[in-house]
């Protein structure tokens, strides 16, 4: 569970272009430490020596070739890299969706490598939130049922006040009874974000959450994610290839050929683009 | 087009396994029916051929010739003592007429059961030995043929010899009469022969003797049939009647004449000469070689292949279900492939090519299924025939598969698959090329049925139901059956409306299972068309089975009721004149006897046709022993002042006269003709009967002349419930012994009632087994749909796994979905089938029931069997979910989410 649960009273509207200055401060929230060993609070997620290989023999592909990385709690971090760099694989392993061949992963202070499928499933259910690029929602359930799905799976009663809060923040009040095919792409993604936030997980993982959206709607979703990190202290880790999306984050981690290749502390679309270009050349 | 089809099949062969299995089963069924037909034809030809095989020529009556021809033919051939004109034809060495004389052979003393000729004798056919024994189709196994002129030597077939414990040198008796005490002719067995394969001889003991013996046997039977000729005491009419009997009994009928040619004779010339002679004699016969004759007879005998048609009807039902499964499977396959199809269209494939590709796929699957189905059927029937042929006397059974059988079966397989998949093929052409460009859509959510179809379905249902009810009420089977069929078609057309609704309602029961339960219910109805199609196949099978079971059980109960009404008493025993309570008690104490009542003669009554003896019995005993009385009469049975009467008495009162006066009694009416009037003992005492003084006293003084068969006391028995057909003989013997009378004094229709039950049970089992094949195919369809739907939902299932659904939860979800669909289909089918079966039973038995005063034939619902159907369907549904579950849970959420 997230260490800080204070909420802001006001509900500001989603803002436009990203600002580098943080908004209202709340106690216990850190603004993105840089090096793995720094930072006042323990990292929300950390990985040591992650290795993951796909395929066999000649067709073997080393997606992760020894990754060491920490992600600060309460921060919005982006993972970037050229295609084939292993960023999606890294996220999948960190989120307990896939198992690494070697290495250690700690999430919320608990070692998750070596857990069996049932334990991993419960981990995902109770302590992790997901926002995927597409196909986030179960088509036969309404928006509200989709939002509370992880709690339903756990059999935990829903905190109605918190639900109302989250729904309010995401502006979904009048959409709760609709099925996914009755919602626009942006609305579907917002439902997914609401679902991810509702369980107050240790980490929210996003896999190209704005990949299918137009720029305006994408900006909406990204600022919501940033607000959840800044105002609610929610740890958010997002995989993206889009420099503009990455600029919403507090920190960008760069991957290349299955290894950490650098990081950017105060990302802007320009410096992110420059960093990526350098990667591509090298 | 073909390449594409083949590549699809090669790429994902597992998706076709279920539908292939369904096709194989359907085709196997059809092919088996056809092969059984061909094999029986071939076997018959063999058997007939065997009969004629040793002769050079065969003379046989034409197909429409009657008894006279057969008699004339026998006469024209004559006997070795008195040869006929056919014998005189040049080139003919012997014209042997196959004439059989029926007799009984005495059974060994320790043999159980009743005889097939008389009580202690079995039916045998005695034929004479031709002068040329090589004409006999059956080889002599051991010993020799009877000496010429001997009337006491016989050759017996080896199976009878073994069964009866006889061998060369043994003696036995041939009885010409059927009475138990008929005199027998003693004969000695001098040889044993093979068992005959002649279809006319099946079931009979085969005996060969010299002509001298057959002549003697005819004389014996004549003597047994005609009473002793009282010296000059017969009127002209009686003499004429006797002469007729004599003529009938000495007539000889020849089914065929086997001809042996003289060495060097020209077969065709002799055949022609024989035909001329026969024509000259006015015989309606043909002369032919053995092969030709066998063929001709085949053509006559196989006119009515009822058995094959019946099997074929069940095969048609199975194939109908298969068609539904095929249609459903291919529609799901096409739906899953919409992106590929869109891509093809975008790249330039025409609609026709797309349609052709799907049909080609179907054709290949159908061809594979057809060929495999035929192979399985050949194996099945061949094994069956081989096993049958090992039984003695059935060596003629052969397996034959005509090319027509094979081609028709395969063709049906291919055509069925192609036609059933055509709607899916057309749906495939409707995929727009743009869909290749768009992001992947969610799995199809729902498709509404056309309004036309719903309206038509409703109309058919209403019209059919009306027909069914009218037909049942007016006992018109044709209208009722037509109405039922039409209404069922209507039900199937409306299935898309009510099946998902029922599944949704039943699905609420899965609520306690949490999210998996809720999702199972939602998933089961998210595509109503597909759910309805899957359930329809199972619906057909379960409705038919339930209908047969209900109909059969109702028929059993109904026939039992009717039997009971006709024969309220299981067994009746005629006691000796001094028989009484002692015998009754002994009999009542027997194991198989539930209750016994002693009836003593006590008086007479006047009924239509004269006087009849009236009996008295203890009221309590009487009530225990008489069943099946109409409602309203049964309660009054045995009350003082009443008399139980047979159905010949319809009045409300009957006057009974005893030794000391008459009294009027109120009648207790029955529907039976097998009863005698009975009053209670108290009333009998009032009329002068002294029960203590043995029945003889009462009977002797009141017997009145003609019309009375017996006035000795009787026992009426009610047999125990556990009595079965094969224990009946023992019971009869035990009862006779306990009563101190011979077995002939024991009578009753219990045997018929039991036999009927056995027959119905047997038929029901066979019919149910045949229908079970359809149910099996439908269950394969359920498995198929479920697995394909699960594949369709891979991404969604992976999403749920990512969000926290455990493997066990996913398995449960799929299992529940399968259970819901198959369970609901089975429930609806059972209910429908019971209704149809009930109406059917009323239509068939309505008249008979009315005859015993019953206005409505209520269906006897076979609850345990229906429960079994539902249970089997649910279990099969669970089984069906195993494979898809395994596949779904093995997938990691990442792999699943990445599925394109």
């Amino acid at each position: 569970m997230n260490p800080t649960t204070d909420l802001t009273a006001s509900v500001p509207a989603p803002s436009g272009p990203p600002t580098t200055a943080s908004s209202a401060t709340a106690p216990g929230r850190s603004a993105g430490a840089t090096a793995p060993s720094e930072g006042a609070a323990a990292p929300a997620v950390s990985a040591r020596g992650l290795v993951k290989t796909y395929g066999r023999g000649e067709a073997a592909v080393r997606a992760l070739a020894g990754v060491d990385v920490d992600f600060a709690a309460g921060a919005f971090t982006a993972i970037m890299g050229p295609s084939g760099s292993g960023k999606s694989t890294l996220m999948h392993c960190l989120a307990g969706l896939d198992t690494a061949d070697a290495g250690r992963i700690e999430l919320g202070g608990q070692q998750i490598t070596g857990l069996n499928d049932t334990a991993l499933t419960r981990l995902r259910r109770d302590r992790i939130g997901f926002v995927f690029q597409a196909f986030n929602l179960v088509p036969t359930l309404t928006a509200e049922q989709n939002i509370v799905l992880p709690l339903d799976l756990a059999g935990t009663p829903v905190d109605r006040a918190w639900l109302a809060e989250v729904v309010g923040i995401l502006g979904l009040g009048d959409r709760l009874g609709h099925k996914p095919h009755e919602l626009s792409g942006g609305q579907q993604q917002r439902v997914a974000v609401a679902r991810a936030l509702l369980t107050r997980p240790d980490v929210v993982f996003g896999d190209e959450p704005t990949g299918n959206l137009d720029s305006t709607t994408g900006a909406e979703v990204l600022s919501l994610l940033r607000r959840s990190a800044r105002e609610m202290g929610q740890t958010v880790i997002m995989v993206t290839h889009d420099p503009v999306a990455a600029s919403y984050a507090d920190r960008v981690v760069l991957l290349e050929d299955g290894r950490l290749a650098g990081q950017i502390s105060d990302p802007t679309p320009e410096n992110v683009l420059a960093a990526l270009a350098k990667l591509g050349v090298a | 087009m073909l390449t594409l089809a083949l590549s699809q099949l090669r790429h994902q062969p597992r998706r076709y396994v279920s539908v292939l299995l369904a096709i194989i089963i359907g085709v196997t069924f059809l092919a088996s029916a056809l092969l059984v037909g061909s094999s029986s034809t071939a076997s018959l030809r063999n058997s007939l051929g065997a009969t004629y095989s040793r002769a050079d020529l065969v003379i046989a009556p034409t197909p429409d010739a009657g008894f006279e021809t057969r008699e004339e033919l026998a006469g024209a051939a004559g006997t070795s003592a008195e040869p006929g004109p056919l014998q005189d034809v040049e080139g003919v060495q012997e014209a042997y007429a196959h004439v059989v004389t029926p007799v009984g052979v005495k059974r060994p003393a320790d043999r159980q059961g009743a005889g097939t000729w008389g009580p202690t004798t079995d039916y045998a056919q005695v034929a004479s030995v031709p002068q040329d024994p090589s004409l006999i189709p059956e080889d002599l196994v051991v010993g020799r043929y009877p000496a010429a002129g001997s009337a006491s030597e016989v050759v017996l077939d080896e199976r009878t010899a073994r069964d009866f414990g006889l061998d060369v040198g043994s003696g036995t008796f041939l009885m010409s009469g059927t009475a138990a005490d008929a005199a027998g002719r003693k004969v000695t067995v001098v040889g044993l022969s093979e068992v005959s394969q002649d279809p006319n001889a099946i079931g009979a003991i085969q005996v060969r003797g010299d002509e001298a013996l057959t002549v003697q046997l005819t004389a014996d039977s004549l003597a047994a049939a005609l009473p002793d000729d009282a010296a000059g005491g017969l009127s002209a009419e009686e003499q004429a009647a006797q002469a007729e009997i004599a003529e009938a009994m000495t007539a000889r009928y020849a089914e065929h004449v086997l001809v042996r040619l003289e060495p060097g004779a020209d077969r065709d010339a002799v055949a022609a000469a024989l035909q001329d002679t026969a024509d000259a004699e006015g015989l309606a016969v043909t002369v032919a070689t053995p092969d030709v004759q066998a063929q001709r007879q085949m053509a006559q005998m196989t006119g009515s292949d009822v058995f094959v048609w019946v099997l074929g009807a069940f095969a048609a039902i199975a194939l109908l279900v298969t068609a539904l499964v095929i249609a459903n499977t291919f529609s799901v396959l096409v739906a899953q492939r919409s992106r590929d199809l869109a891509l093809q269209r975008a790249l330039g494939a025409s609609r026709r090519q797309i349609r052709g590709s799907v049909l080609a796929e179907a054709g290949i699957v159908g061809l594979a299924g057809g060929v495999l189905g035929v192979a399985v059927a050949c194996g099945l029937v061949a094994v069956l025939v081989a096993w049958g042929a090992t039984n003695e006397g059935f060596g003629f059974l052969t397996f034959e598969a005509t090319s027509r059988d094979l081609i028709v079966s395969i063709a049906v397989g291919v055509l069925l698959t192609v036609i059933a998949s055509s709607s899916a093929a057309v749906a495939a052409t409707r995929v727009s090329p743009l869909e290749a460009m768009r992001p992947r859509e969610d799995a199809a959510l729902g498709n509404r049925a056309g309004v036309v179809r719903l309206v038509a379905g409703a109309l058919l249902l209403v019209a059919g139901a009306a027909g069914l009810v009218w037909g049942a009420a007016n006992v018109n089977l044709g209208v009722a059956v037509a109405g039922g069929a039409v209404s069922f078609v209507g039900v199937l057309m409306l299935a898309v409306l009510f099946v998902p609704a029922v599944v949704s309602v039943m699905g609420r029961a899965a609520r306690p299972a949490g999210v998996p339960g809720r999702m199972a219910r939602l998933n089961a109805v998210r595509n109503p068309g597909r759910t309805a199609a899957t359930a329809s196949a199972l619906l057909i099978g379960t409705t038919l089975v339930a209908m047969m079971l209900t109909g059969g059980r109702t028929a059993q109960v109904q026939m039992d009721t009717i039997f009971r009404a006709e024969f309220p008493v299981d067994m009746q025993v005629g006691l000796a004149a001094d028989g009484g309570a002692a015998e009754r008690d002994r009999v009542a104490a027997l194991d198989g006897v539930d209750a016994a009542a002693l009836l003593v003669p006590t008086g007479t009554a006047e009924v239509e046709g004269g006087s009849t003896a009236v009996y008295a019995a203890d009221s309590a005993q009487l009530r225990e022993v008489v069943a099946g009385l109409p409602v309203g009469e049964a309660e009054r049975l045995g009350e003082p002042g009443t008399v139980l009467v047979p159905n010949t008495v319809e009045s409300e009162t009957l006057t009974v006269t005893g030794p000391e006066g008459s009294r009027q009694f109120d009648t207790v009416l029955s529907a039976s003709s097998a009863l005698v009037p009975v009053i209670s003992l108290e009333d009998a005492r009032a009329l002068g009967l002294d029960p203590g003084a043995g029945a003889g006293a009462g009977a002797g003084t009141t017997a009145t002349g003609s019309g009375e068969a017996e006035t000795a006391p009787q026992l009426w028995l009610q047999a125990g419930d556990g009595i079965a057909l094969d224990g009946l003989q023992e019971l009869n013997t035990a009862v006779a012994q306990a009563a101190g009378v011979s077995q002939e004094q024991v009578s009753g229709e219990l045997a018929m009632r039991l036999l009927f039950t056995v027959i119905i049970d047997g038929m029901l089992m066979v019919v149910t087994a045949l229908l079970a094949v359809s149910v099996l195919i439908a269950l394969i369809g359920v498995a198929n749909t479920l697995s394909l739907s699960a594949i369709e939902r891979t991404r969604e299932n992976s999403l749920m796994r990512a969000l926290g659904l455990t493997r066990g939860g996913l398995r449960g979800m799929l299992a529940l979905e399968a259970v819901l669909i198959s369970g609901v289909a089975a429930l609806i089918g059972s209910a429908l089938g019971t209704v149809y079966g009930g109406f059917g039973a009323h239509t068939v038995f309505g008249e008979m029931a009315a005859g015993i005063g019953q206005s409505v034939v209520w269906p006897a619902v076979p609850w345990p069997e229906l429960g079994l159907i539902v249970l089997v369907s649910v279990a099969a549904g669970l089984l069906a979910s195993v494979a898809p579950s395994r596949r779904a849970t093995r997938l990691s959420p990442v792999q699943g989410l990445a599925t394109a």
Side-chain angles (χ1 to χ4, degrees):
Chain A
M1 287 299 187
N2 193 308
T4 53
T5 52
D6 272 25
L7 313 167
T8 47
S10 62
V11 185
S15 46
T19 53
T20 48
S22 340
S23 48
T25 55
R29 179 187 38 86
S30 59
T34 51
S37 50
E38 279 185 41
V45 191
S46 71
R48 292 288 176 273
L50 280 184
V51 175
K52 175 90 189 166
T53 313
Y54 288 113
R56 265 187 238 120
E58 278 185 20
V61 172
R62 266 196 136 195
L64 299 175
V67 174
D68 294 339
V69 65
D70 283 349
F71 295 89
F76 184 176
T77 317
I79 303 176
M80 293 196 76
S83 30
S85 57
K87 54 188 191 296
S88 284
T89 311
L90 175 61
M91 193 208 83
H92 292 156
C93 288
L94 293 176
L97 284 172
D98 206 353
T99 41
D101 295 334
R104 270 181 48 230
I105 303 174
E106 263 186 35
L107 189 134
Q110 185 194 350
Q111 161 104 249
I112 70 170
T113 35
L115 286 182
N116 67 13
D117 181 81
T118 309
L120 277 176
T121 305
R122 257 183 277 143
L123 180 83
R124 295 196 298 269
R125 185 186 71 194
D126 299 333
R127 307 202 0 228
I128 299 179
F130 290 99
V131 183
F132 298 108
Q133 177 175 359
F135 205 78
N136 264 298
L137 308 177
V138 178
T140 46
L141 300 176
T142 62
E144 177 168 357
Q145 287 171 325
N146 265 293
I147 293 174
V148 302
L149 187 54
L151 289 174
D152 267 349
L153 284 171
T156 321
V158 176
D159 181 348
R160 290 271 140 203
W162 178 225
L163 174 63
E165 180 96 30
V166 169
V167 165
I169 293 174
L170 289 159
L172 292 169
D174 55 347
R175 286 304 198 205
L176 287 179
H178 288 147
K179 293 245 175 62
H181 65 92
E182 293 163 325
L183 303 172
S184 71
Q187 287 164 336
Q188 286 182 24
Q189 290 305 75
R190 278 193 269 146
V191 170
V193 171
R195 178 187 67 211
L197 294 177
L198 189 67
T199 53
R200 287 185 260 237
D202 291 351
V203 189
V204 168
F205 283 102
D207 190 353
E208 312 261 12
T210 57
N212 277 10
L213 303 174
D214 62 77
S215 51
T216 321
T217 330
E220 251 177 52
V221 175
L222 288 166
S223 40
L224 282 168
L225 287 173
R226 189 175 58 179
R227 276 183 57 203
S228 71
R230 298 211 175 145
E231 292 169 25
M232 301 193 275
Q234 176 70 56
T235 310
V236 180
I237 300 174
M238 174 179 75
V239 165
T240 184
H241 66 276
D242 179 10
V244 173
S247 67
Y248 280 76
D250 302 320
R251 176 174 82 118
V252 174
V253 168
L254 295 165
L255 235 58
E256 191 191 19
D257 289 332
R259 264 181 260 267
L260 220 55
Q263 56 166 1
I264 307 168
S265 316
D266 281 312
T268 65
E270 295 76 29
N271 59 21
V272 169
L273 202 52
L276 280 178
K278 245 194 293 188
L279 279 181
V281 168
Chain B
M1 191 163 75
L2 200 59
T3 333
L4 216 47
L6 283 171
S7 77
Q8 283 288 355
L9 288 166
R10 255 198 302 264
H11 178 51
Q12 283 164 339
R14 261 201 305 237
R15 296 195 182 177
Y16 299 90
V17 166
S18 304
V19 73
L20 189 65
L21 194 59
I23 299 172
I24 291 176
I25 295 180
V27 171
T28 299
F29 205 153
L30 177 68
S32 299
L34 292 174
L35 286 174
V36 163
S38 295
S39 297
S40 358
T41 306
S43 302
L44 200 54
R45 195 172 358 147
N46 257 21
S47 143
L48 287 172
T51 313
Y52 303 143
S53 55
R54 309 248 169 117
D56 296 323
L57 288 172
V58 178
I59 309 176
T62 54
D64 40 357
F67 272 112
E68 313 77 44
T69 308
R70 286 163 171 76
E71 196 178 352
E72 289 161 7
L73 183 59
T79 61
S80 47
E82 297 166 18
L86 291 177
Q87 190 72 37
D88 293 334
V89 171
E90 188 168 329
V92 169
Q93 185 177 13
E94 180 179 1
Y96 168 68
H98 181 74
V99 176
V100 295
T101 308
V103 292
V105 173
K106 192 155 179 63
R107 300 153 61 91
D110 56 353
R111 203 157 166 74
Q112 299 277 21
T116 53
W117 174 255
T120 53
T121 51
D122 276 346
Y123 174 61
Q125 292 180 341
V126 180
S128 63
V129 176
Q131 287 176 325
D132 180 359
S134 72
L135 280 173
I136 302 178
E138 301 85 28
D139 282 334
L140 195 63
V141 169
V142 69
R144 59 172 176 83
Y145 283 112
S150 158
S152 61
E153 292 181 349
V154 294
V155 164
L156 198 59
D157 73 271
E158 56 178 343
R159 180 177 51 199
T160 307
R162 199 183 43 241
D163 287 348
F164 282 19
L166 300 170
D167 203 351
V168 175
S170 313
T172 185
F173 289 91
L174 300 180
M175 336 281 256
S176 299
T178 55
D181 55 353
R185 177 166 291 278
K186 188 169 193 330
V187 293
T188 313
V189 176
V190 296
L192 300 181
S193 71
E194 281 176 343
V195 177
S196 168
Q197 296 183 356
D198 188 349
N200 293 321
I202 289 182
I205 301 174
Q206 295 126 33
V207 178
R208 286 222 182 239
D210 188 72
E211 262 180 25
L213 174 62
T214 55
V215 166
Q216 283 294 339
L217 288 174
T218 309
D220 287 348
S221 60
L222 205 55
L226 299 176
D228 286 334
D229 208 357
L234 294 174
S235 65
E237 298 162 345
E238 286 163 336
Q239 277 183 348
Q242 283 203 6
E244 261 185 53
I245 297 177
E247 204 179 301
M249 299 211 75
T250 53
R252 297 172 68 241
Y253 301 95
E255 273 305 318
H256 53 257
V257 169
L258 300 176
V259 176
R260 171 71 69 225
L261 297 175
E262 280 176 1
D266 176 357
R267 188 160 70 174
D268 294 328
V270 177
L274 279 170
Q275 186 71 60
D276 289 337
T277 312
D279 296 337
E281 296 282 327
L283 299 175
V285 298
T286 55
V287 182
T289 57
D291 285 338
V292 172
Q293 181 54 35
Q295 286 292 114
R296 269 195 206 141
Q297 217 155 329
M298 284 295 310
Q300 287 166 243
M301 287 176 96
T302 59
S304 59
D305 279 314
V306 177
F307 187 57
V308 176
W309 279 106
V310 168
L311 264 189
F314 283 103
I317 294 175
L319 286 173
L320 176 66
V321 173
T322 307
L324 282 176
V325 170
I326 295 172
N328 212 24
T329 304
F330 272 88
S331 79
V332 174
L333 284 174
V334 162
Q336 285 175 322
R337 247 190 267 155
S338 53
R339 277 196 105 188
D340 290 342
L341 291 167
L343 187 62
Q344 287 168 45
R345 294 275 284 128
L347 293 176
S350 74
R351 286 216 157 100
R352 200 151 56 91
Q353 285 173 316
I354 298 275
R355 191 177 61 229
S357 145
V358 176
L359 290 176
E361 218 178 298
I364 296 173
V365 173
L367 184 64
V371 169
L372 286 171
V374 162
V376 171
C378 282
L380 265 178
V381 177
V383 163
L384 203 65
V385 166
W387 171 83
T390 58
N391 294 320
E392 234 169 4
F394 285 95
F396 60 90
L397 284 180
T398 38
F399 170 73
E400 181 163 293
T402 62
S403 48
R404 185 199 62 157
D405 298 337
L406 304 178
I407 291 176
V408 164
S409 303
I410 297 179
V412 166
V414 172
L415 276 174
L416 188 76
T417 314
V418 168
I419 292 176
S421 68
S422 53
S423 69
V426 166
T429 65
R430 296 213 200 97
V431 172
S432 134
L434 285 175
E435 281 186 41
M437 275 38 117
R438 295 196 196 119
R440 169 124 179 117
E441 298 276 309
D442 294 333
L445 269 181
N447 44 23
R448 298 267 118 233
V451 178
V452 175
R453 178 171 147 156
L454 291 179
V455 169
L459 282 175
L460 284 177
L461 176 59
V462 170
L468 181 64
V469 172
W470 186 91
N474 293 302
V475 194
N476 187 330
L477 193 61
V479 170
V481 167
V486 164
S487 68
F488 192 53
V489 171
V491 164
L492 287 178
M493 289 175 83
L494 290 176
V496 73
L497 271 188
F498 66 86
V499 168
V502 176
V503 170
S504 185
V505 166
M506 297 296 288
R508 289 186 203 280
R511 270 254 178 83
V515 170
R518 202 156 26 102
M519 289 304 301
R521 174 169 159 263
L522 285 173
N523 284 336
V525 300
R526 68 198 278 172
N527 193 332
R530 190 182 301 170
T531 307
T534 309
S536 292
L538 194 54
L539 202 60
I540 293 180
T542 49
T543 302
L544 285 174
V545 172
M547 183 174 77
M548 287 298 159
L549 288 175
T550 305
R553 174 75 72 87
T554 310
Q556 257 173 356
V557 168
Q558 200 52 43
M559 284 312 290
D560 215 56
T561 311
I562 291 174
F563 262 101
R564 279 257 176 248
E566 256 304 305
F567 307 108
V569 174
D570 278 341
M571 287 206 277
Q572 299 174 327
V573 185
L575 296 177
D578 60 351
E583 282 75 18
R584 184 231 154 243
D585 290 338
R586 271 207 300 274
V587 169
L590 287 177
D591 247 348
V593 176
D594 251 7
L598 173 66
L599 272 64
V600 289
T602 182
T604 58
E606 294 294 324
V607 298
E608 233 173 298
S611 272
T612 181
V614 175
Y615 287 75
D618 174 74
S619 298
Q621 286 181 6
L622 196 61
R623 270 195 279 264
E624 277 179 354
V625 139
V626 174
L629 288 180
V631 171
E633 304 295 317
E635 294 84 39
R636 295 169 45 226
L637 177 65
E639 276 177 21
T642 63
V643 57
L644 172 66
V645 293
N647 62 1
T648 46
V649 176
E650 289 167 2
S651 54
E652 281 187 11
T653 59
L654 186 68
T655 308
V656 178
T657 312
E660 285 173 23
S662 321
R663 240 189 81 178
Q664 214 183 47
F665 287 89
D666 294 324
T667 53
V668 172
L669 300 170
S670 76
S672 166
S673 54
L675 297 175
V676 290
V678 182
I679 59 178
S680 68
L681 278 179
E682 297 81 48
D683 293 331
R685 277 191 208 103
L687 285 180
L689 172 69
D690 179 5
T701 52
T702 59
T704 52
S706 65
E708 289 188 41
E710 56 184 74
T711 49
Q714 304 183 11
L715 286 182
W716 281 3
L717 306 182
Q718 193 65 234
D721 278 335
I723 264 296
L725 204 54
D726 44 9
L728 201 52
Q729 182 61 33
E730 276 177 49
L731 182 63
N732 269 359
T733 318
V735 164
Q737 245 179 346
V741 295
S742 71
Q743 275 204 31
E744 282 155 355
Q745 298 294 335
V746 179
S747 67
E749 296 306 328
L750 182 59
M752 268 232 295
R753 186 158 67 87
L754 291 176
L755 187 63
F756 196 81
T757 309
V758 166
I759 290 176
I760 287 221
D761 274 346
M763 265 174 42
L764 260 191
M765 244 192 333
V766 170
V767 167
T768 306
L770 291 175
L771 288 174
V773 175
S774 299
V775 174
L776 176 66
I777 297 176
L779 289 170
I780 293 179
V782 170
N784 204 23
T785 304
L786 186 69
S787 90
L788 290 175
S789 296
I791 291 175
E792 235 179 21
R793 277 181 250 135
T794 304
R795 285 184 61 169
E796 182 182 318
N797 288 342
S798 299
L799 174 68
M800 296 201 59
R801 289 274 289 131
L803 294 177
L805 183 67
T806 57
R807 280 195 176 133
L810 182 59
R811 266 195 290 264
M813 196 170 86
L814 291 171
L816 271 172
E817 188 183 339
V819 162
L820 270 175
I821 297 182
S822 50
V824 164
L827 274 173
I828 298 179
S830 298
L832 261 182
T834 306
V835 167
Y836 285 135
F839 274 111
H842 179 82
T843 311
V844 170
F845 292 106
E847 259 177 51
M848 262 192 272
I852 57 165
Q854 198 180 338
S855 56
V856 178
V857 176
W858 291 109
V861 182
W863 293 110
E865 285 89 341
L866 289 184
L868 193 65
I869 292 176
V870 175
L871 219 66
V872 166
S873 300
V874 165
L878 271 175
L879 205 65
S881 71
V882 165
S885 282
R886 268 227 318 256
R887 218 178 303 126
T889 52
R890 255 206 302 249
L891 218 51
S892 85
V894 170
Q895 287 172 287
L897 284 168
T899 305

